[in-house]
């Protein structure tokens, strides 16, 4: 059966990096029998310019009908003064909400070839391979009531609400246990159960779920300690699962352990494994159109898509290996260049990945 993939290039460097990812899908189809139907649509500022909306109905329809969505990036200075509902980011938030993408997977992998890119000592980060599973559609970012009110004494008071229902904790917990099962079998649940009632419930639900996953070793950690441990001894972690706000912060910290946002993919999954895949970086308006952006985070997003939504793990392994061999050969885009490497542009990097995917 053919997989349906929606391709949403978006803004800035989005179209440049997506073009290389599409070439990867093309060679997997031509040489390894991947059956894939691609449909492309506008999102973000580009969609606003063409159709007056950052997430046109036609784009949402394409995304809904697909098995997976591959997104470049959205945003740019020319759209920053638009009313909030028309801004490019609303395209992204709208897709997450409309497709019920509650499980955000943020790997932090440090390729041995790029160990110098990290600001941490090589022995602390070399070989790092962590997966952070962040709850994406609940918690304090969405909880009601929220707002700014005026108190009796005339002072303003801002307030937000941290809420998680058992069912929300359970579904993100399952997502994380399933992922840990496919990796090293270790899951660390991060909360603040010493202070927050929501976290107490979180811990109870995750602990209860662990009974169904006896092959996964579960541990719990307070978020402040987790932040310390991430920079002190990050390799102790395999999979971490946490709520929306803690995950937002910890996943960015983990990303920076690797030193290079141009290398990091992400996935956001629904209950059935349908997902949206995108690099973690933005639209990089400062280098857009110059042909120098690093396409590897997007290529690695294709790998995650193959693994988590299309059930093509062997092809995902091939893509990962191709990226590894290109790095071995010393090719680098400017963002990851160092002494003794050869700096290439977006297209040349894509060429090298495609060449590495050619059958012997
Ligand atoms: P950014 O990630 O776009 O860029 C930060 C820096 O990293 C820039 O110097 C950029 O040139 C560099 N960079 C990013 N990706 C790169 C790549 N693939 N290769 C080489 N260098 C790369 O973050 P920003 O500058 O804060 O934001 C720019 C725009 O992107 C804003 O409009 C922001 O809202 C948007 N944004 C979108 C997303 C998304 O689409 N998911 C995420 C973050 C920011």
């Amino acid at each position: 059966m053919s997989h349906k993939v929606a391709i949403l290039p978006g803004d800035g460097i989005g179209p440049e990096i997506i073009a290389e990812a599409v070439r990867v899908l093309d060679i997997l189809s031509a040489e390894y029998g991947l059956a894939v139907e691609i449909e492309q649509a506008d999102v973000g500022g580009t969609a606003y310019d063409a159709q007056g909306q950052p997430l046109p109905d036609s784009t949402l329809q394409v995304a809904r009908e697909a098995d997976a969505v591959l997104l470049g990036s959205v945003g740019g200075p020319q759209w920053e003064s638009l009313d909030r509902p028309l801004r490019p980011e609303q395209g992204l938030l709208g897709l997450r909400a409309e497709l019920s993408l509650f499980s955000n997977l943020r790997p932090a992998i440090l390729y041995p070839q790029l160990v110098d890119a990290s600001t941490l000592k090589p022995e602390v980060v070399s070989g790092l391979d962590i997966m952070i599973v962040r709850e994406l559609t609940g918690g304090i970012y969405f909880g009601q009531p929220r707002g700014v009110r005026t108190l009796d004494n005339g002072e303003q008071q801002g307030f937000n609400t941290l809420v998680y229902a058992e069912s929300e904790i359970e579904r993100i917990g399952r997502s994380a246990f399933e992922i840990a099962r496919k990796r090293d079998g270790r899951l660390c649940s991060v909360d603040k159960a010493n202070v927050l009632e929501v976290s107490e419930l979180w811990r109870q639900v995750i602990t209860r779920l662990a009974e169904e996953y006896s092959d996964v070793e579960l541990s719990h950690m307070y978020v402040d300690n987790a932040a310390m441990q991430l920079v002190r001894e990050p390799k102790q972690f395999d999979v971490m699962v946490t709520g929306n706000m803690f995950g937002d912060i910890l996943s960015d910290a983990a990303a920076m352990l690797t030193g290079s946002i141009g290398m990091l993919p992400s996935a956001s999954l629904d209950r059935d494994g349908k997902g949206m895949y995108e690099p973690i970086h933005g639209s990089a308006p400062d280098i857009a159109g110059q042909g120098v952006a690093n396409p590897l985070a997007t290529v690695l997003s294709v790998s995650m898509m193959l693994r988590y939504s299309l059930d093509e793990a062997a092809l995902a392994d091939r893509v990962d290996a191709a990226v590894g061999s290109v790095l071995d050969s010393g090719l680098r885009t400017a963002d990851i260049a160092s002494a003794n490497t050869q700096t290439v542009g977006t297209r040349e990097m894509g060429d090298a990945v495609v060449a590495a995917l050619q059958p012997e």
Side-chain angles (χ1 to χ4, degrees):
M1 202 189 63
S2 188
H3 305 294
K4 277 188 163 181
V5 175
I7 304 263
L8 314 181
D11 310 323
I13 59 171
E16 299 165 53
I17 52 180
I18 282 286
E20 303 313 313
V22 169
R23 291 172 71 208
V24 166
L25 284 173
D26 287 345
I27 185 160
L28 294 177
S29 307
E31 300 291 350
Y32 301 101
L34 175 70
V36 65
E37 272 173 58
I38 289 176
E39 189 150 2
Q40 201 150 319
D42 287 337
V43 72
T46 314
Y48 172 78
D49 287 347
Q51 307 184 47
Q53 291 291 335
L55 180 58
D57 288 346
S58 52
T59 299
L60 190 54
Q61 182 74 8
V62 169
R64 279 216 174 97
E65 284 169 6
D67 300 311
V69 179
L70 182 66
L71 184 124
S73 54
V74 298
Q78 63 271 52
W79 299 292
E80 270 167 19
S81 54
L82 289 173
D83 286 346
R84 190 168 292 279
L86 298 176
R87 288 194 206 151
E89 304 75 51
Q90 295 303 318
L92 204 61
L93 296 176
L95 280 165
R96 284 179 186 163
E98 292 290 336
L99 301 178
S100 305
L101 305 174
F102 66 89
S103 175
N104 185 215
L105 275 46
R106 289 273 303 259
I109 296 174
L110 183 58
Y111 288 85
Q113 303 92 330
L114 300 180
V115 72
D116 291 340
S118 177
T119 49
L120 276 79
K121 290 184 193 138
E123 61 269 28
V124 176
V125 287
S126 182
L128 181 80
D129 183 356
I130 304 177
M131 177 71 84
I132 297 189
V133 181
R134 164 190 170 196
E135 201 289 329
L136 199 59
T137 54
I140 195 163
Y141 292 176
F142 294 91
Q144 294 288 348
R146 61 190 297 160
V148 178
R149 61 192 161 204
T150 306
L151 299 176
D152 291 344
N153 66 2
E155 190 187 7
Q156 301 239 88
Q157 184 189 54
F159 57 100
N160 290 87
T161 305
L162 174 53
V163 276
Y164 271 116
E166 265 182 294
S167 56
E168 287 176 293
I169 304 169
E170 195 175 314
R171 67 179 186 176
I172 191 71
R174 277 192 196 286
S175 186
F177 274 109
E178 293 291 341
I179 287 160
R181 186 171 252 186
K182 289 187 190 146
R183 291 174 43 106
D184 200 31
R186 289 178 297 122
L187 177 63
C188 178
S189 172
V190 176
D191 61 40
K192 190 71 183 168
N194 49 344
V195 178
L196 301 173
E197 286 79 0
V198 177
S199 282
E200 266 178 55
L201 180 68
W202 178 282
R203 204 175 263 226
Q204 276 170 26
V205 173
I206 298 282
T207 303
R208 192 170 70 211
L209 266 185
E211 290 166 18
E212 293 177 43
Y213 296 90
S214 54
D215 49 334
V216 175
E217 184 192 318
L218 174 67
S219 60
H220 301 275
M221 200 178 272
Y222 297 138
V223 63
D224 43 345
N225 187 25
M228 282 198 291
Q229 296 301 328
L230 262 182
V231 287
R232 194 184 74 88
E233 199 196 331
K235 284 190 270 184
Q236 70 184 281
F237 297 113
D238 176 25
V239 180
M240 301 172 91
V241 63
T242 190
N244 203 343
M245 182 165 65
F246 296 160
D248 190 6
I249 299 165
L250 293 180
S251 62
D252 269 15
M256 273 305 104
L257 296 173
T258 73
S260 54
I261 56 174
M263 294 296 301
L264 294 174
S266 74
S268 306
L269 306 178
D270 76 1
R271 187 182 286 275
D272 305 315
K274 173 173 174 165
M276 183 159 81
Y277 297 83
E278 56 183 314
I280 69 154
H281 58 71
S283 58
D286 53 334
I287 56 167
Q290 297 174 17
V292 298
N294 186 348
L296 293 180
T298 317
V299 168
L300 292 166
S301 300
V302 169
S303 160
M304 285 191 88
M305 178 171 83
L306 292 163
R307 200 178 296 284
Y308 292 106
S309 284
L310 306 188
D311 205 14
E312 300 276 5
L315 293 183
D317 289 344
R318 276 190 195 278
V319 174
D320 292 347
V323 169
S325 82
V326 168
L327 293 176
D328 279 340
S329 74
L331 295 189
R332 304 281 188 272
T333 42
D335 57 309
I336 52 170
S338 61
N340 305 323
T341 61
Q342 186 193 344
T343 304
V344 296
T346 312
R347 177 39 64 106
E348 291 91 335
M349 188 55 103
D351 287 343
V353 174
V354 168
L357 281 167
Q358 290 288 355
E360 299 286 298

